[in-house]
Amino acid sequence: MMRLSIMAALVLAGSAARAGDIPYAPSADVPDYVATMTVQPSGNSTGSHTRIVTHHDGWARVDELGTVIYANPAKQITVSLSKDSNYSSVSINRETSTSYERIRAVTETGQTETHAGERCDVREVVRRDPDKQAPQLQWLSCLTADGIEIATRVSVNSSLFQSMAIVRLERRPVSAEEVELPANLLDVAQWLHFDQPPQAATAVRRPPDFAMHMQWQGAVRALRRHDPWTYDEISYPDGRRTLNIRNDQTGQALSFRAAKGGAFERLSICAECRPGDSLAIHLGRNVIPESMGRTDSVLGEACDWFDMAPGTFDINLSQCLTQDKIPLKIGSGGAWGPREEFVADEVQRRELKPDEILPPSDVLNRSNWDFPG
């Protein structure tokens, strides 16, 4: 029961939040406009807040709760920028043919509403996958005759989760600069600082640098450690890719995912991650591995198996570690999908250079994310 409730909460929080990020548009021909809206969470959530949507030529800029969101509904791209005195991040999401939350259908409900003097027609935006178990989610979008979304409702298991409606709508020319993505958005140097020296070790000796190559059923994995940085990249035969770069001392992190066929799906970079922003960082900094009481051998070197996420039943992550904490085998999954077990076929203990931790250049290429310019 604990596992089900945790997973349901994650699906609910992620899906509902993502639903509000992209203003639904029936086509790319929606006119320029600026909409001031009130967002009202339900239940015991915090009070209402203001959301401002500025739209031009298919791109919308959303200002909400200290976060700036750039979105292209036709391309199903969302770019979220958050910055304050303690936290800064960028998160890019693009719905692909395999994305769980992609739009699968849009249906007319026959209902009409009026908000701030504007009449609109209610449509249901179908995103849920009927073949996967999840909370019953429903997205309703109310559109004006010229395609402007002026109200939404998100329901979970028939209970209202969040609603949104305009208080003012201005149809006026909007310049490209008002919705333009920052030119240095994908400049990794502004987010991650690889040139910072590691903090001085106190009671614990610094683990050695290493570069490792691993395999599992045709998939290959590159794992590198340049303390306190870790680089972990996996490439699958079907084109899927994952990349995680993190600093266990400072909380800096980069996470990337490509879908089957290689389509870029998600990129997240945070200069200081909040707890829970990155599961890998959360586990690495707050969970103490537990011995599983068994040993193994890889490339003639002994290792001991550890549960890397004890007490977190959904994750099922284990590693076979050498005396100097190098994982010669990494097992994951099994609770909600097929279990993977990567095994090292090459290990190099050597000093790494900071540029060996940098992400591949294609991950930060604007054209690979369908960004203009």
Coordinates of all heavy atoms in Angstrom, one line a residue, residues 158-213:
S158 N -12.5 12.3 -10.3 CA -13.7 13.1 -10.3 C -13.8 14.2 -9.3 O -14.8 14.9 -9.1 CB -15.0 12.2 -10.1 OG -15.1 11.3 -11.2
S159 N -12.6 14.5 -8.6 CA -12.6 15.6 -7.6 C -11.7 16.7 -8.2 O -10.6 16.4 -8.7 CB -12.0 15.1 -6.3 OG -12.8 14.1 -5.7
L160 N -12.1 17.9 -8.1 CA -11.4 19.0 -8.6 C -10.1 19.2 -7.9 O -10.0 19.2 -6.7 CB -12.2 20.3 -8.5 CG -11.6 21.6 -9.0 CD1 -11.4 21.5 -10.6 CD2 -12.4 22.8 -8.6
F161 N -9.0 19.2 -8.7 CA -7.6 19.4 -8.2 C -7.2 20.8 -8.3 O -6.6 21.4 -7.4 CB -6.7 18.5 -8.9 CG -5.2 18.6 -8.4 CD1 -4.8 18.0 -7.3 CD2 -4.3 19.3 -9.2 CE1 -3.5 18.1 -6.8 CE2 -3.0 19.4 -8.7 CZ -2.6 18.8 -7.5
Q162 N -7.4 21.4 -9.5 CA -7.0 22.8 -9.7 C -7.9 23.5 -10.8 O -8.2 22.8 -11.7 CB -5.5 22.9 -10.1 CG -5.0 24.2 -10.4 CD -3.5 24.2 -10.8 OE1 -2.7 24.1 -9.9 NE2 -3.2 24.2 -12.1
S163 N -8.2 24.7 -10.6 CA -8.9 25.5 -11.6 C -8.2 26.8 -11.9 O -7.5 27.3 -11.1 CB -10.4 25.7 -11.2 OG -10.4 26.5 -10.0
M164 N -8.5 27.3 -13.1 CA -7.8 28.5 -13.5 C -8.8 29.3 -14.5 O -9.5 28.7 -15.3 CB -6.5 28.2 -14.2 CG -5.7 29.3 -14.7 SD -4.0 28.8 -15.1 CE -4.3 27.4 -16.2
A165 N -8.8 30.6 -14.3 CA -9.7 31.4 -15.2 C -9.2 32.8 -15.3 O -8.5 33.3 -14.4 CB -11.1 31.5 -14.6
I166 N -9.5 33.5 -16.5 CA -9.0 34.8 -16.7 C -9.7 35.8 -15.8 O -10.9 35.7 -15.5 CB -9.1 35.3 -18.2 CG1 -10.5 35.3 -18.6 CG2 -8.2 34.4 -19.1 CD1 -10.8 36.1 -19.9
V167 N -9.0 36.9 -15.5 CA -9.7 38.1 -14.9 C -9.5 39.3 -15.9 O -10.3 40.3 -15.8 CB -9.0 38.5 -13.5 CG1 -9.3 37.4 -12.5 CG2 -7.5 38.7 -13.7
R168 N -8.6 39.1 -16.9 CA -8.5 40.2 -17.9 C -7.8 39.6 -19.1 O -6.8 38.8 -19.0 CB -7.6 41.3 -17.4 CG -7.5 42.5 -18.4 CD -6.9 43.8 -17.8 NE -5.5 43.6 -17.5 CZ -5.0 43.4 -16.2 NH1 -5.9 43.4 -15.2 NH2 -3.7 43.3 -16.0
L169 N -8.3 39.9 -20.3 CA -7.7 39.4 -21.5 C -7.5 40.6 -22.5 O -8.5 41.4 -22.8 CB -8.7 38.4 -22.2 CG -8.2 37.9 -23.6 CD1 -6.9 37.1 -23.5 CD2 -9.3 37.0 -24.2
E170 N -6.3 40.8 -22.9 CA -5.9 41.9 -23.9 C -5.5 41.2 -25.2 O -4.5 40.5 -25.2 CB -4.8 42.7 -23.3 CG -5.0 43.4 -22.0 CD -3.8 44.1 -21.5 OE1 -3.4 45.1 -22.0 OE2 -3.1 43.5 -20.6
R171 N -6.2 41.5 -26.2 CA -5.8 41.1 -27.6 C -5.0 42.3 -28.1 O -5.6 43.3 -28.5 CB -7.0 40.8 -28.5 CG -7.7 39.5 -28.1 CD -8.9 39.3 -29.0 NE -9.6 38.0 -28.7 CZ -10.5 37.8 -27.8 NH1 -10.8 38.9 -27.0 NH2 -11.1 36.7 -27.6
R172 N -3.7 42.2 -28.2 CA -2.8 43.3 -28.7 C -1.6 42.7 -29.3 O -1.2 41.6 -29.1 CB -2.4 44.2 -27.5 CG -1.5 43.5 -26.4 CD -0.9 44.6 -25.6 NE -0.1 44.0 -24.5 CZ 1.2 43.6 -24.6 NH1 1.8 43.6 -25.8 NH2 1.8 43.2 -23.5
P173 N -0.9 43.5 -30.1 CA 0.4 43.0 -30.7 C 1.4 42.7 -29.6 O 1.6 43.5 -28.7 CB 0.8 44.1 -31.6 CG -0.4 44.9 -31.9 CD -1.3 44.8 -30.7
V174 N 2.0 41.6 -29.7 CA 3.1 41.2 -28.8 C 4.4 41.0 -29.6 O 4.4 40.4 -30.6 CB 2.7 39.9 -28.1 CG1 3.9 39.4 -27.2 CG2 1.5 40.0 -27.2
S175 N 5.4 41.6 -29.1 CA 6.7 41.5 -29.9 C 7.4 40.1 -29.6 O 7.1 39.5 -28.6 CB 7.7 42.6 -29.4 OG 8.1 42.4 -28.1
A176 N 8.2 39.7 -30.5 CA 8.9 38.5 -30.4 C 9.8 38.5 -29.2 O 10.0 37.4 -28.5 CB 9.8 38.2 -31.6
E177 N 10.4 39.6 -28.8 CA 11.2 39.7 -27.6 C 10.5 39.4 -26.3 O 11.1 38.9 -25.4 CB 11.8 41.1 -27.5 CG 12.9 41.5 -28.6 CD 12.3 41.7 -29.9 OE1 11.1 42.0 -30.0 OE2 13.0 41.6 -31.0
E178 N 9.2 39.6 -26.3 CA 8.4 39.4 -25.1 C 8.3 37.9 -24.8 O 8.0 37.5 -23.6 CB 7.0 40.0 -25.2 CG 7.1 41.5 -25.1 CD 5.7 42.1 -25.3 OE1 5.0 42.1 -24.2 OE2 5.3 42.6 -26.4
V179 N 8.4 37.0 -25.8 CA 8.3 35.6 -25.5 C 9.6 34.8 -25.9 O 9.6 33.6 -25.9 CB 7.1 35.0 -26.3 CG1 5.8 35.7 -25.9 CG2 7.3 35.2 -27.8
E180 N 10.6 35.6 -26.1 CA 11.9 35.0 -26.6 C 12.6 34.2 -25.5 O 12.8 34.8 -24.4 CB 12.7 36.1 -27.2 CG 13.9 35.6 -28.0 CD 14.6 36.7 -28.7 OE1 15.0 37.7 -28.0 OE2 14.7 36.7 -30.0
L181 N 13.1 33.0 -25.8 CA 13.9 32.3 -24.9 C 15.3 33.0 -24.7 O 15.8 33.6 -25.6 CB 14.2 30.9 -25.4 CG 13.0 29.9 -25.5 CD1 13.3 28.7 -26.4 CD2 12.7 29.4 -24.1
P182 N 15.8 33.0 -23.5 CA 17.1 33.6 -23.2 C 18.2 33.0 -24.1 O 18.2 31.8 -24.4 CB 17.4 33.3 -21.8 CG 16.1 33.1 -21.2 CD 15.2 32.4 -22.2
A183 N 19.1 33.8 -24.7 CA 20.1 33.4 -25.6 C 21.1 32.4 -24.9 O 21.6 31.5 -25.6 CB 20.9 34.6 -26.1
N184 N 21.3 32.6 -23.6 CA 22.3 31.7 -22.9 C 21.6 30.6 -22.2 O 22.2 30.0 -21.2 CB 23.2 32.5 -22.0 CG 22.4 33.2 -20.9 OD1 21.1 33.3 -21.0 ND2 23.0 33.7 -19.9
L185 N 20.4 30.3 -22.5 CA 19.6 29.3 -21.8 C 20.4 27.9 -21.6 O 20.4 27.3 -20.6 CB 18.3 29.0 -22.5 CG 17.4 27.9 -21.9 CD1 16.8 28.4 -20.6 CD2 16.3 27.5 -22.9
L186 N 21.0 27.5 -22.7 CA 21.7 26.2 -22.7 C 23.2 26.3 -22.5 O 24.0 25.4 -22.8 CB 21.4 25.4 -23.9 CG 19.9 25.0 -24.1 CD1 19.7 24.2 -25.4 CD2 19.4 24.2 -22.9
D187 N 23.7 27.4 -22.0 CA 25.1 27.6 -21.6 C 25.3 26.9 -20.2 O 24.9 27.5 -19.2 CB 25.4 29.1 -21.5 CG 26.9 29.3 -21.1 OD1 27.6 28.3 -21.0 OD2 27.2 30.5 -21.0
V188 N 25.9 25.7 -20.3 CA 26.0 25.0 -19.0 C 26.8 25.7 -18.0 O 26.6 25.4 -16.8 CB 26.5 23.5 -19.3 CG1 28.0 23.6 -19.7 CG2 26.3 22.6 -18.2
A189 N 27.7 26.5 -18.4 CA 28.6 27.2 -17.4 C 27.8 28.1 -16.5 O 28.3 28.4 -15.4 CB 29.7 28.0 -18.2
Q190 N 26.6 28.6 -16.9 CA 25.9 29.5 -16.0 C 25.1 28.7 -14.9 O 24.7 29.2 -13.9 CB 24.9 30.3 -16.8 CG 23.7 29.6 -17.3 CD 22.6 30.6 -17.7 OE1 22.4 31.6 -17.1 NE2 21.9 30.2 -18.8
W191 N 25.0 27.4 -15.1 CA 24.3 26.5 -14.2 C 25.2 25.7 -13.3 O 25.0 25.5 -12.1 CB 23.3 25.6 -14.9 CG 22.3 26.3 -15.8 CD1 22.3 26.5 -17.1 CD2 21.2 27.1 -15.3 NE1 21.3 27.2 -17.6 CE2 20.5 27.6 -16.5 CE3 20.6 27.3 -14.1 CZ2 19.4 28.4 -16.4 CZ3 19.5 28.1 -14.0 CH2 18.9 28.6 -15.2
L192 N 26.2 25.0 -14.0 CA 27.1 24.1 -13.3 C 28.5 24.7 -13.3 O 29.0 25.1 -14.3 CB 27.1 22.7 -13.9 CG 25.7 22.1 -14.1 CD1 25.8 20.7 -14.7 CD2 24.9 22.0 -12.8
H193 N 29.2 24.6 -12.2 CA 30.5 25.2 -12.0 C 31.5 24.1 -11.7 O 31.8 23.8 -10.6 CB 30.5 26.3 -10.9 CG 29.4 27.3 -11.1 ND1 29.4 28.2 -12.1 CD2 28.2 27.5 -10.4 CE1 28.3 29.0 -12.0 NE2 27.6 28.6 -11.0
F194 N 32.0 23.6 -12.8 CA 32.9 22.4 -12.7 C 34.3 22.9 -12.2 O 35.1 22.0 -11.8 CB 33.1 21.8 -14.1 CG 31.8 21.1 -14.6 CD1 31.0 21.8 -15.5 CD2 31.4 19.9 -14.1 CE1 29.8 21.2 -15.9 CE2 30.2 19.3 -14.5 CZ 29.4 20.0 -15.5
D195 N 34.6 24.2 -12.2 CA 35.9 24.6 -11.8 C 36.1 24.8 -10.3 O 37.1 25.1 -9.8 CB 36.3 25.9 -12.6 CG 35.2 27.0 -12.3 OD1 34.1 26.7 -11.9 OD2 35.5 28.2 -12.7
Q196 N 35.0 24.7 -9.6 CA 35.0 24.8 -8.2 C 35.8 23.7 -7.5 O 35.5 22.5 -7.8 CB 33.6 24.9 -7.5 CG 32.9 26.2 -7.9 CD 31.5 26.2 -7.2 OE1 31.0 25.2 -6.8 NE2 30.9 27.4 -7.2
P197 N 36.8 23.9 -6.7 CA 37.5 22.8 -6.0 C 36.6 22.1 -5.0 O 35.7 22.8 -4.4 CB 38.7 23.5 -5.3 CG 38.2 24.9 -5.1 CD 37.3 25.2 -6.2
P198 N 36.8 20.8 -4.8 CA 35.9 20.1 -3.8 C 36.2 20.6 -2.4 O 37.3 21.1 -2.1 CB 36.4 18.6 -4.0 CG 37.7 18.7 -4.5 CD 37.8 19.9 -5.4
Q199 N 35.2 20.5 -1.6 CA 35.4 20.9 -0.2 C 36.4 20.0 0.5 O 36.5 18.8 0.2 CB 34.0 20.8 0.6 CG 33.0 21.8 0.0 CD 31.6 21.6 0.6 OE1 31.5 20.9 1.6 NE2 30.6 22.2 0.0
A200 N 37.1 20.5 1.4 CA 38.2 19.7 2.1 C 37.5 18.6 2.9 O 36.5 18.7 3.6 CB 39.0 20.6 3.1
A201 N 38.1 17.4 2.7 CA 37.6 16.2 3.4 C 37.9 16.3 4.9 O 39.0 16.8 5.3 CB 38.2 14.9 2.8
T202 N 37.0 15.9 5.7 CA 37.3 15.9 7.2 C 37.6 14.5 7.7 O 38.7 14.1 7.6 CB 36.0 16.5 7.9 OG1 34.9 15.7 7.5 CG2 35.8 17.9 7.5
A203 N 36.6 13.8 8.1 CA 36.9 12.5 8.7 C 36.9 11.4 7.6 O 37.4 10.3 7.8 CB 35.8 12.1 9.7
V204 N 36.3 11.7 6.4 CA 36.2 10.7 5.3 C 37.2 11.0 4.2 O 37.3 12.1 3.7 CB 34.8 10.7 4.8 CG1 34.7 9.6 3.7 CG2 33.8 10.4 5.9
R205 N 37.9 10.0 3.8 CA 38.9 10.2 2.8 C 38.2 10.3 1.4 O 37.2 9.6 1.2 CB 39.8 8.9 2.7 CG 40.9 9.0 1.7 CD 41.8 7.8 1.8 NE 42.8 7.8 0.7 CZ 43.7 6.8 0.5 NH1 43.7 5.7 1.3 NH2 44.6 6.9 -0.4
R206 N 38.7 11.2 0.6 CA 38.1 11.4 -0.7 C 38.2 10.1 -1.6 O 39.2 9.5 -1.7 CB 38.8 12.5 -1.5 CG 38.3 13.9 -1.1 CD 39.0 14.9 -2.0 NE 38.7 14.7 -3.4 CZ 39.4 15.3 -4.4 NH1 40.4 16.0 -4.1 NH2 39.0 15.0 -5.6
P207 N 37.1 9.7 -2.2 CA 37.1 8.5 -3.1 C 37.9 8.8 -4.3 O 38.0 10.0 -4.8 CB 35.7 8.3 -3.4 CG 35.0 9.6 -3.3 CD 35.7 10.3 -2.2
P208 N 38.6 7.8 -4.9 CA 39.4 8.0 -6.1 C 38.6 8.3 -7.3 O 37.4 7.9 -7.5 CB 40.2 6.7 -6.2 CG 39.2 5.7 -5.7 CD 38.6 6.4 -4.5
D209 N 39.2 9.0 -8.3 CA 38.6 9.2 -9.6 C 38.6 7.9 -10.3 O 39.5 7.1 -10.1 CB 39.4 10.3 -10.4 CG 39.1 11.7 -9.9 OD1 38.4 11.9 -8.9 OD2 39.6 12.6 -10.6
F210 N 37.6 7.7 -11.3 CA 37.7 6.5 -12.1 C 36.8 6.8 -13.4 O 36.0 7.7 -13.4 CB 37.2 5.3 -11.4 CG 35.7 5.3 -11.1 CD1 34.7 4.9 -12.0 CD2 35.2 5.7 -9.8 CE1 33.4 4.9 -11.8 CE2 33.9 5.7 -9.5 CZ 33.0 5.3 -10.5
A211 N 37.1 6.0 -14.4 CA 36.3 6.0 -15.6 C 35.9 4.6 -15.9 O 36.8 3.7 -15.9 CB 37.0 6.6 -16.8
M212 N 34.7 4.3 -16.1 CA 34.2 2.9 -16.3 C 33.3 2.7 -17.5 O 32.5 3.6 -17.8 CB 33.5 2.5 -15.0 CG 32.9 1.1 -15.0 SD 31.9 0.7 -13.6 CE 33.1 1.0 -12.3
H213 N 33.4 1.6 -18.1 CA 32.5 1.2 -19.2 C 31.7 0.0 -18.7 O 32.3 -1.0 -18.2 CB 33.2 0.9 -20.5 CG 32.4 0.7 -21.7 ND1 31.9 -0.6 -22.0 CD2 31.9 1.5 -22.6 CE1 31.1 -0.5 -23.1 NE2 31.1 0.7 -23.5

